[in-house]
Amino acid sequence: MLEKYLIVFFVSMVPLIELRGAIPIAEGMQLPFVQYYIIAILGNMLPVPIIYFFARKVLVWGSTKPVIGKFFSWCLDKGERGGKKLQEKAGKGLFVALLLFVGIPLPGTGAWTGTLAASILDMDFKSSVIAVMLGVLLAGIIMAAVSMGAFGALGVLF
C-alpha cells in the first residue's frame, strides 16, 4: 500500500504532470480519496519554494551558456512577457489570477508554471505560495471530481 502512495507522491512532483496526473492514477489504484488527495497536494507543493527561489536564477545563469543559452533565454523572455501581460490584465487581482491559473487544470498550467511566473513577476513569497496552494487545492478537487465522476466526488466530499 505504501508503494501506491509513493507513486502518487512522486508523480505529483513531476513538471507538467503534477497533481493533474497523480489523482487519476490514485483513483485508478482505488486509494481512499482523503489520503491520496493529501499526498498529491504535498507532493505537488514540495518543489514550490525551490522553484520560486532558484528557477529564475537558473534561467539567467543558463542563458549565457553555449548549448542551452538560446532555450534558457527564450524561457526567460517568454516568462517575462507573459508575466507582464498577466500583470497588466490582472492589475491588483494578480493573486486571484495566479490562483485560477494554477487551479484550472489545463495543459501548461500548474504549480511549477505558476510559481515560475510568480518568481518572474517578483510577487512576494508568501502571497505566491498561498495563491499556488489554493490553486493546487482547487485543481485537486476538479481532478478528483472528473476522475470519480461528478456524482461520486460529491458523495466523498459531502
Side-chain angles (χ1 to χ4, degrees), residues 19-68:
L19 164 133
R20 292 147 172 75
I23 286 182
I25 290 170
E27 188 61 32
M29 292 189 285
Q30 299 178 337
L31 296 173
F33 168 74
V34 174
Q35 286 90 342
Y36 78 65
Y37 183 72
I38 292 169
I39 300 266
I41 288 168
L42 291 173
N44 203 180
M45 288 301 296
L46 188 66
V48 166
I50 297 163
I51 297 164
Y52 181 87
F53 289 116
F54 298 110
R56 186 177 186 177
K57 292 175 183 173
V58 169
L59 289 173
V60 168
W61 169 84
S63 66
T64 62
K65 303 302 176 222
V67 176
I68 58 174

Side-chain angles (χ1 to χ4, degrees), residues 49-123:
I50 297 163
I51 297 164
Y52 181 87
F53 289 116
F54 298 110
R56 186 177 186 177
K57 292 175 183 173
V58 169
L59 289 173
V60 168
W61 169 84
S63 66
T64 62
K65 303 302 176 222
V67 176
I68 58 174
K70 286 184 181 180
F71 176 70
F72 277 47
S73 293
W74 176 81
C75 289
L76 198 55
D77 291 341
K78 182 142 176 84
E80 287 175 355
R81 278 186 276 126
K84 286 177 184 173
K85 278 186 186 177
L86 180 64
Q87 196 167 28
E88 287 170 9
K89 287 182 181 178
K92 293 184 179 181
L94 191 56
F95 178 89
V96 174
L98 180 59
L99 185 158
L100 292 174
F101 177 81
V102 174
I104 298 172
L106 296 171
T109 67
W112 281 75
T113 310
T115 305
L116 179 58
S119 173
I120 289 172
L121 290 172
D122 289 323
M123 283 182 70

